[in-house]
Amino acid sequence: MSQKYISVTYRTKMERRPERDLSRQPDNTAMKQQQLPGHQLHFSAPVVLSIFFATAAFCLCMGIILILSAKSTKEIEINYTKTCANCSEMREDASNFNEECTCSIPFYLQEKMEGNVYMYYKLYGFYQNLYRYILSRSNSQLMGKDMRDVSDCAPFKKSHNETPIVPCGAIANSMFNDTIILSYNLHTSIYIKVPMLKTELTWWTDKYVKFQNPSSSNLATKFAGTTKPPNWHKPIYELDMDDPGNNGFINDDFIVWMRTAAFPTFKKLYRRLYRIHYFVEGLPAGNYSFNILYNFPVTKFQGEKSVVLSTMTWSGGSGLFLGLAYTVTGALTWLASFAMMAIHLMLKNKKSSFSQ
């Protein structure tokens, strides 16, 4: 009786298995059964040559347009490394750390700079692309999460009394801290301060994602038990006491500096013109002067620094790299097109002579 029951059960399972296996099979469609027709593109020589010539023409046209656009920007650069040599010598002596030194640099703007005008500081010979320098920062601090996370900030982790440094790291400690004020000679002896804005200088992702302040109505309390970097004159929560939206880790000058440059000569956005009163249309031609509170030393590493005033176009600033890249690509593609056309004609002539 038992053997008969087992035999019936086994037979029943064997009868149902094909139905279950069939239910697992994919649908009988061309897509699921991999029966779609295949097609392999075969371009003729004229089509390939036409594509190459069109690509070359497009790159050459774009390169010329970008170069002309970059050339249309107006830019003036004032190097004040040697002009402020007395301040530079004073900054070399560490004992003069708390003393102020200012210098004035007059210059003449020959042509009017219309539209939006941007002020940059430019450094020569400052290597922000060193591997250890780039890693010397704490992202936990910069996002306002853990003020005591200094594990990756060597050699600027803690002060001599083991107090955590905020913001820690070599990048933050070397922040550019010269104060630059632009003045315009309205009349013979009257200079007025050119209004400049110190906000909206950063990328949106930096300002609202990568850099965040600790959530607190009193920012100073969140930084209790920490100290400022050795080269800073004031702590992070006093960078801009007049504007809470530009203070602490979300200070625009601080964020701009923390985005490290790829080359040893670079410029970073410092201010932008506030177009009111005499400067609605831009910077008028005339006499100007830069009044600089000198703090950032460059002679130690044999570097230089400048102030740059520049306008912008639809394609950006005065950089020629993108335009030259398009032009070179177009020229090389053009040469390759002629080479392929010559090879094609040679092979075609050989084939015709052989058939004859």
Side-chain angles (χ1 to χ4, degrees), residues 181-197:
I181 298 175
L182 179 62
S183 300
Y184 172 57
N185 188 358
L186 184 60
H187 298 293
T188 306
S189 58
I190 301 176
Y191 274 88
I192 61 173
K193 181 180 177 182
V194 179
M196 289 286 182
L197 297 174

Side-chain angles (χ1 to χ4, degrees), residues 50-340:
S50 300
I51 294 173
F52 268 77
F53 277 113
T55 304
F58 171 78
C59 291
L60 285 174
C61 292
M62 281 299 300
I64 293 172
I65 292 172
L66 290 172
I67 290 175
L68 292 177
S69 176
K71 289 289 186 180
S72 66
T73 61
K74 295 180 181 178
E75 182 175 297
I76 181 172
E77 179 178 348
I78 306 295
N79 192 311
Y80 63 96
T81 307
K82 296 181 180 179
T83 309
C84 301
N86 57 334
C87 292
S88 178
E89 293 177 0
M90 191 192 77
R91 282 285 169 260
E92 294 296 332
D93 188 357
S95 61
N96 299 324
F97 181 78
N98 292 324
E99 296 185 13
E100 293 186 354
C101 185
T102 59
C103 62
S104 180
I105 307 171
F107 66 96
Y108 181 74
L109 188 61
Q110 296 182 351
E111 298 181 359
K112 177 182 178 181
M113 302 182 76
E114 296 183 356
N116 295 325
V117 181
Y118 300 87
M119 181 190 294
Y120 302 83
Y121 58 86
K122 188 174 183 179
L123 297 179
Y124 294 83
F126 192 97
Y127 289 84
Q128 274 197 317
N129 55 0
L130 296 177
Y131 182 70
R132 293 183 62 187
Y133 179 87
I134 293 174
L135 295 181
S136 185
R137 60 188 290 163
S138 173
N139 291 322
S140 297
Q141 280 190 359
L142 300 178
M143 295 183 69
K145 294 181 178 180
D146 187 1
M147 296 299 103
R148 298 183 178 275
D149 181 16
V150 295
S151 57
D152 298 326
C153 294
F156 299 100
K157 293 183 176 182
K158 298 181 179 180
S159 62
H160 62 279
N161 57 357
E162 296 301 316
T163 304
I165 296 175
V166 177
C168 64
I171 306 176
N173 183 65
S174 61
M175 177 179 169
F176 183 84
N177 56 355
D178 283 359
T179 302
I180 306 171
I181 298 175
L182 179 62
S183 300
Y184 172 57
N185 188 358
L186 184 60
H187 298 293
T188 306
S189 58
I190 301 176
Y191 274 88
I192 61 173
K193 181 180 177 182
V194 179
M196 289 286 182
L197 297 174
K198 53 185 177 181
T199 56
E200 298 183 12
L201 310 177
T202 63
W203 295 4
W204 186 92
T205 52
D206 287 344
K207 185 79 172 183
Y208 298 100
V209 178
K210 295 183 179 180
F211 294 82
Q212 290 293 314
N213 281 329
S215 56
S216 175
S217 56
N218 187 2
L219 195 59
T221 57
K222 286 293 183 178
F223 294 96
T226 64
T227 186
K228 62 180 180 62
N231 289 352
W232 285 31
H233 293 279
K234 50 188 176 182
I236 185 72
Y237 51 86
E238 293 182 1
L239 291 182
D240 192 351
M241 299 294 291
D242 299 327
D243 185 3
N246 192 43
N247 197 18
F249 291 133
I250 57 175
N251 177 264
D252 280 40
D253 290 335
F254 175 70
I255 295 175
V256 168
W257 178 258
M258 292 299 292
R259 180 173 287 279
T260 55
F263 299 100
T265 298
F266 59 88
K267 64 179 182 182
K268 291 178 179 284
L269 186 58
Y270 181 69
R271 295 291 182 267
R272 56 191 182 92
L273 178 65
Y274 187 26
R275 298 171 62 181
I276 58 172
H277 303 312
Y278 302 101
F279 311 99
V280 174
E281 298 181 356
L283 288 180
N287 292 310
Y288 291 83
S289 68
F290 283 121
N291 300 311
I292 300 173
L293 177 60
Y294 197 105
N295 291 313
F296 192 82
V298 294
T299 54
K300 286 184 177 180
F301 54 88
Q302 298 179 350
E304 296 180 1
K305 54 184 177 178
S306 304
V307 186
V308 179
L309 293 174
S310 177
T311 58
M312 297 283 261
T313 63
W314 63 272
S315 62
S318 60
L320 299 176
F321 175 78
L322 188 59
L324 292 175
Y326 268 101
T327 304
V328 172
T329 302
L332 293 177
T333 307
W334 195 274
L335 292 175
S337 303
F338 277 109
M340 288 189 299

